[in-house]
Amino acid sequence: MLELITKSIDESRQGEAFQGDRVTNNNYSKHFYIESYGCQMNFSDSEIIASILQGEGFGVTRNVEEANLIFLNTCSIREKAEQTVRKRLTEFKKIKKQNPGLLIGVLGCMAERLKSKLLEEEKLVDLVVGPDAYRTLPSLIEEAGNGTKAVNVLLSRDETYADISPVRLNTNGINSFVSIMRGCNNMCAFCVVPFTRGRERSRDNESIVAECKDLFEEGYKEVTLLGQNVDSYYWVDSKSNHAVDFAMLLEEVAMVSPLLRVRFSTSHPKDITDKVLHTMKKYHNICKYIHLPVQSGSNRVLQLMNRTYTREWYLGRVQRIKEIMPECAISADIIAGFCTEDEQDHLETLDIMRTSAYEYSYMFAYSERPGTLAERRYTDDVPEDVKKRRLAEIVQLQNSLSLASNQNDLGKIFEVLIEGNSKKSDQQWMGRSSQYKVMVFDKSDPSLEPGSYVHVLALECSQGTLMGKIIEKP
Ligand code: SAH
Ligand code: SF4
Ligand code: F3S
């Protein structure tokens, strides 16, 4: 989901080990090491896993050599994501040869997709645990420790881990992610998620708001509410019989504090409502940024993809967003080379990108996934070199749209949440505007720190960054 601008996810989050030092380790004699792949929901799940494991006396470590348990929290979205994990597993096997007591576990979507097949294919894997089975990790670890291969890939209709307080990994202490639902009931023809994550279910709104309050009290300044399709969030409180939809949840979270920014991802074009847009407009701290994956600009391809909207519907939603919030940034996910896509379809994708004037996009070449509707019904008939060429054209267009959007921002003032030093200099801060744009500016005032809000005038830009200077609040 929220990744680097105009870079395909395949190139960006290729697995990240726990890096932070906010979790103290001194009290633990046993340790686990975890690497996460794929979308933000997986990263968020790793924080639930960390909480369950800490309860069992395992401290988190970033040092593989120190670990008694190595976990890979995996992604199946494209073939390349799975290949990366397999490569990583062969590296861990070498470590296991030197340390036979070490247990290696594959968690997440690849575990769910391949189930016990993974144990046959990857002989040195000891545990295979699907996304809804993390509560059983303690007994599975015990089984694996006794030499039995441990597998639990049962999907659930109601598991949301609502009562588990995540242990924040890799945190900067400012931005945090909060899962509000799990699974997906859509059946986009290309997508493996409904099979790896199961049925959609929402999490109790009270537990979500309580988690956001705790984060704010711990000093966090931004929460991103996560779900594969946040607009279909729906929870009925059993005591009051009171129904909460996504717009109402957004409002409840926004009211935690005006100093807590609220983001969310992902919105489905068929489901995003005007009520959500009006709620966004009403609260200054709900960020003016919507990730609205389009996938294709061709009605014929959209229909084959089973996205259940047309390009006209999509553009209507974009127009509505801009009418209600002219300053709102929009990003998309785009797939190049889906089954039967021809040059005309591709040109329509480029056209919808221009019309929507995306600030950012996450762009992918179609990768056929076993078991999906597309794999069963259609032929993956666009040659690899054609997919690559179309993807390159899409990326090139997005680069120019991102640059144009940044150029259009020059001379404007943005409220920025400081996240830390800029990559290039510790004399400069890096932060983000409400629109999720990266802004870099000199550290003029010593009283500022990560987590402070400042106003920044945009003066120069590249395609990925706005450079500016701090000014007094206008
Ligand atoms: N729930 C989100 C998407 C989650 S997957 C949504 O509906 O938008 C993130 C993105 O990966 C998708 O939007 C799609 O662009 C891409 N993707 C999914 N399956 C893919 C596949 N088989 N090949 C290439 N890209 C894919
Ligand atoms: Fe996949 Fe579609 Fe669900 Fe997104 S909405 S997770 S693309 S099936
Ligand atoms: Fe990947 Fe699973 Fe997320 S397939 S994109 S980790 S839901």
Side-chain angles (χ1 to χ4, degrees):
M1 295 183 195
L2 309 171
E3 248 113 344
L4 298 175
I5 160 173
T6 64
K7 235 186 157 190
S8 112
I9 291 185
D10 288 343
E11 296 160 32
S12 49
R13 295 204 96 153
Q14 282 227 345
E16 211 170 78
F18 162 71
Q19 298 289 343
D21 38 23
R22 296 186 134 243
V23 189
T24 42
N25 249 350
N26 307 338
N27 307 333
Y28 299 96
S29 56
K30 303 180 284 183
H31 294 98
F32 72 97
Y33 170 93
I34 189 161
E35 241 169 55
S36 311
Y37 294 78
C39 67
Q40 216 41 260
M41 298 219 60
N42 240 23
F43 284 72
S44 177
D45 279 2
S46 292
E47 302 188 328
I48 288 166
I49 293 161
S51 173
I52 294 170
L53 292 176
Q54 278 199 354
E56 291 299 301
F58 286 92
V60 61
T61 177
R62 61 178 120 170
N63 177 4
V64 188
E65 314 287 322
E66 187 190 21
N68 310 85
L69 282 170
I70 292 182
F71 282 140
L72 290 182
N73 194 2
T74 61
C75 172
S76 288
I77 201 83
R78 284 165 291 273
E79 198 182 347
K80 205 169 149 201
E82 291 199 353
Q83 282 165 358
T84 312
V85 166
R86 289 190 192 275
K87 222 172 103 208
R88 221 37 203 135
L89 277 173
T90 45
E91 288 161 17
F92 288 141
K93 281 182 206 163
K94 288 183 206 137
I95 304 175
K96 183 161 163 117
K97 280 202 181 119
Q98 285 151 15
N99 175 6
L102 176 69
L103 296 177
I104 297 185
V106 178
L107 315 180
C109 292
M110 215 173 142
E112 192 61 50
R113 195 179 80 72
L114 293 164
K115 307 191 167 59
S116 52
K117 256 204 276 177
L118 201 57
L119 293 175
E120 291 148 33
E121 290 171 26
E122 306 283 346
K123 295 262 182 281
L124 289 173
V125 170
D126 304 288
L127 295 102
V128 175
V129 190
D132 286 346
Y134 298 142
R135 281 183 205 269
T136 63
L137 271 169
S139 58
L140 293 169
I141 292 167
E142 199 181 316
E143 267 177 52
N146 294 333
T148 327
K149 299 278 182 192
V151 185
N152 188 349
V153 288
L154 284 178
L155 286 172
S156 156
R157 280 185 170 259
D158 48 24
E159 179 63 274
T160 59
Y161 302 110
D163 56 317
I164 295 181
S165 259
V167 170
R168 306 289 164 192
L169 303 170
N170 279 340
T171 178
N172 60 3
I174 295 162
N175 323 94
S176 190
F177 294 86
V178 175
S179 289
I180 63 164
M181 57 209 291
R182 300 179 71 79
C184 183
N185 280 356
N186 294 320
M187 272 286 167
C188 302
F190 50 80
C191 187
V192 78
V193 173
F195 304 95
T196 61
R197 293 256 161 188
R199 304 291 292 170
E200 179 188 288
R201 66 222 94 123
S202 297
R203 175 180 165 190
D204 177 348
N205 64 314
E206 281 179 20
S207 79
I208 296 169
V209 174
E211 186 175 333
C212 295
K213 273 190 187 143
D214 287 349
L215 285 164
F216 183 67
E217 274 158 24
E218 286 164 35
Y220 286 84
K221 293 288 166 53
E222 186 176 287
V223 290
T224 303
L225 307 179
L226 296 177
Q228 294 299 355
N229 183 3
V230 290
D231 301 285
S232 60
Y233 176 87
Y234 189 78
W235 178 261
V236 182
D237 187 289
S238 54
K239 279 173 255 148
S240 65
N241 239 2
H242 166 71
V244 182
D245 63 14
F246 182 58
M248 292 155 87
L249 178 74
L250 252 186
E251 179 151 34
E252 284 183 26
V253 176
M255 281 165 57
V256 167
S257 165
L259 292 177
L260 182 69
R261 275 186 172 181
V262 188
R263 298 187 184 278
F264 55 89
S265 184
T266 300
S267 305
H268 196 298
K270 77 174 161 62
D271 295 320
I272 188 164
T273 59
D274 283 8
K275 189 176 172 197
V276 166
L277 302 181
H278 286 298
T279 308
M280 288 178 75
K281 186 183 167 76
K282 184 170 161 198
Y283 290 90
H284 176 73
N285 56 327
I286 303 181
C287 290
K288 303 299 177 274
Y289 167 51
I290 298 177
H291 183 53
L292 198 67
V294 67
Q295 315 297 1
S296 168
S298 151
N299 277 338
R300 196 184 64 80
V301 174
L302 283 172
Q303 191 170 12
L304 286 180
M305 286 177 162
N306 199 25
R307 286 291 286 182
T308 70
Y309 54 82
T310 60
R311 74 180 265 131
E312 292 75 25
W313 170 272
Y314 184 93
L315 288 172
R317 291 284 79 201
V318 169
Q319 200 184 349
R320 198 78 186 109
I321 294 168
K322 297 286 181 186
E323 270 165 23
I324 295 173
M325 294 170 289
E327 76 283 25
C328 189
I330 304 178
S331 64
D333 290 348
I334 299 167
I335 298 179
F338 185 64
C339 313
T340 78
E341 184 189 79
D342 61 20
E343 284 309 309
Q344 182 57 36
D345 298 317
H346 172 58
L347 290 178
E348 288 178 19
T349 296
L350 296 176
D351 186 70
I352 207 166
M353 289 174 69
R354 272 186 221 104
T355 313
S356 307
Y358 298 123
E359 267 72 20
Y360 335 91
S361 283
Y362 306 97
M363 300 154 284
F364 315 97
Y366 173 58
S367 162
E368 185 177 80
R369 307 310 293 131
T372 55
L373 283 183
E375 189 254 354
R376 286 182 278 143
R377 288 190 193 159
Y378 317 129
T379 314
D380 181 13
D381 57 357
V382 178
E384 249 356 85
D385 57 332
V386 176
K387 283 184 190 168
K388 288 228 169 75
R389 194 252 308 150
R390 288 184 191 158
L391 179 62
E393 287 173 14
I394 288 170
V395 170
Q396 198 183 8
L397 172 58
Q398 184 55 55
N399 288 346
S400 66
L401 292 174
S402 300
L403 181 63
S405 164
N406 279 356
Q407 282 166 342
N408 192 39
D409 282 344
L410 299 182
K412 294 185 193 160
I413 295 161
F414 295 90
E415 187 185 76
V416 173
L417 172 61
I418 298 178
E419 293 185 11
N421 288 339
S422 87
K423 272 194 206 137
K424 290 194 185 137
S425 160
D426 61 6
Q427 299 305 302
Q428 288 184 319
W429 291 122
M430 171 272 171
R432 284 184 198 268
S433 66
S434 175
Q435 289 75 7
Y436 203 59
K437 288 195 177 178
V438 172
M439 298 197 74
V440 170
F441 42 93
D442 285 344
K443 292 182 176 178
S444 52
D445 175 351
S447 71
L448 296 172
E449 56 182 11
S452 304
Y453 288 98
V454 284
H455 286 84
V456 177
L457 171 66
L459 293 169
E460 285 172 60
C461 71
S462 64
Q463 169 203 313
T465 312
L466 285 166
M467 278 75 74
K469 67 169 186 191
I470 297 179
I471 57 159
E472 287 297 310
K473 190 174 174 183

